[in-house]
Amino acid sequence: MAAVRRWALALARGAVPVGLGLLLWAVMGAGEQQRQEAVKALPEVSAELLAQRRRHNELIMAALREAAETDENVARRPVPWRK
């Protein structure tokens, strides 16, 4: 009987953090969805601004890709540099 009690106690001690983590994950997931909807509803978010951000991210990714593919220290290039 003592072994069953120890097993049940160990199971409860392991289940509490998992249950708490799942609860927090569900709460954060709902909050993130509401935040994304609020961001989409902002008046300053326009198609033009999103296109500019997308282009900026593409340029950064191209620079990172080039830096990863070469042994040259691209940070030491004279500014402004272009391909």
Side-chain angles (χ1 to χ4, degrees):
M1 213 40 148
V4 172
R5 185 176 295 162
R6 282 194 314 251
W7 183 83
L9 184 60
L11 183 63
R13 285 182 179 167
V16 168
V18 171
L20 183 61
L22 286 172
L23 178 68
L24 289 174
W25 180 68
V27 169
M28 295 300 291
E32 178 66 17
Q33 190 175 28
Q34 291 173 352
R35 187 191 68 79
Q36 287 178 354
E37 290 173 7
V39 167
K40 287 180 183 177
L42 291 175
E44 64 265 10
V45 176
S46 64
E48 181 182 333
L49 180 63
L50 291 176
Q52 287 176 353
R53 287 182 183 171
R54 196 172 297 116
R55 178 68 180 143
H56 182 257
N57 288 342
E58 288 172 1
L59 291 172
I60 290 174
M61 289 306 294
L64 289 173
R65 194 175 304 113
E66 181 183 354
E69 292 172 353
T70 182
D71 290 333
E72 177 188 356
N73 188 349
V74 295
R76 300 282 183 195
R77 288 186 179 169
V79 176
W81 63 271
R82 295 211 165 93
K83 285 187 171 183

